[in-house]
């Protein structure tokens, strides 16, 4: 399974960005998709995740500002980020856990940089 992330960039505080993460491959079903982020000098942290059934989890710091959604038919997750703050600056990584014939597996996408600065 490969994950292709897109949508990062630079934005001023208060602005918005939308990240996309498309999963491709064969013979898999998505259990959960999510976004993590890692700022310089900090550990990677969960931003948001969504199950195939639509259940969501958010980091406290992004609740009310970020929204995660998934298009199961396209195996694609989206992270709509509004009211961005400088502290949201980080490399954002897409993650998925899938079910395959031999069991469950976890995959990571390449990071996409999000910079929030005036």
């Amino acid at each position: 399974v490969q994950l292709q992330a897109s949508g990062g960039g630079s934005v001023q505080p208060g602005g918005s960005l939308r990240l996309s993460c498309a999963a491709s491959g064969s013979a898999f079903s998505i259990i959960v998709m999510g976004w993590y982020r890692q700022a310089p000098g900090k550990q990677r942290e969960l931003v948001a995740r969504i199950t195939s059934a639509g259940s969501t989890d958010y980091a406290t710091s992004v609740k009310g500002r970020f929204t995660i959604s998934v298009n199961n038919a396209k195996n694609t997750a989206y992270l709509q980020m509004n009211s961005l703050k400088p502290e949201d600056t980080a490399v954002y990584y897409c993650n998925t856990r899938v079910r395959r014939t031999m069991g469950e597996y976890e995959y990571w996408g390449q990071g996409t940089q999000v910079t929030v600065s005036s």
Side-chain angles (χ1 to χ4, degrees):
V1 174
Q2 280 122 22
L3 298 176
Q4 182 65 48
S6 61
S10 296
V11 66
Q12 292 186 339
S16 298
L17 284 173
R18 188 189 193 215
L19 305 183
S20 298
C21 176
S24 62
S26 61
F28 71 95
S29 60
I30 291 173
I31 300 171
V32 61
M33 292 189 78
W35 291 93
Y36 290 71
R37 67 187 180 188
Q38 188 166 19
K42 294 188 176 181
Q43 290 188 331
R44 190 173 297 188
E45 63 174 359
L46 172 70
V47 177
R49 60 188 172 196
I50 184 168
T51 70
S52 58
S55 297
T56 57
D57 285 317
Y58 293 93
T60 300
S61 60
V62 308
K63 282 183 180 177
R65 300 188 297 122
F66 291 11
T67 302
I68 191 169
S69 60
V70 66
N71 183 323
N72 289 317
K74 295 183 177 180
N75 290 328
T76 300
Y78 306 94
L79 184 68
Q80 178 66 44
M81 305 185 293
N82 298 328
S83 301
L84 282 161
K85 304 176 180 180
E87 50 264 43
D88 294 318
T89 296
V91 178
Y92 284 67
Y93 296 92
C94 180
N95 169 274
T96 188
R97 177 170 292 275
V98 305
R99 185 173 292 109
R100 309 192 78 169
T101 304
M102 298 302 291
E104 296 182 7
Y105 299 86
E106 185 177 26
Y107 299 91
W108 291 91
Q110 86 283 7
T112 184
Q113 178 70 45
V114 171
T115 302
V116 184
S117 174
S118 55

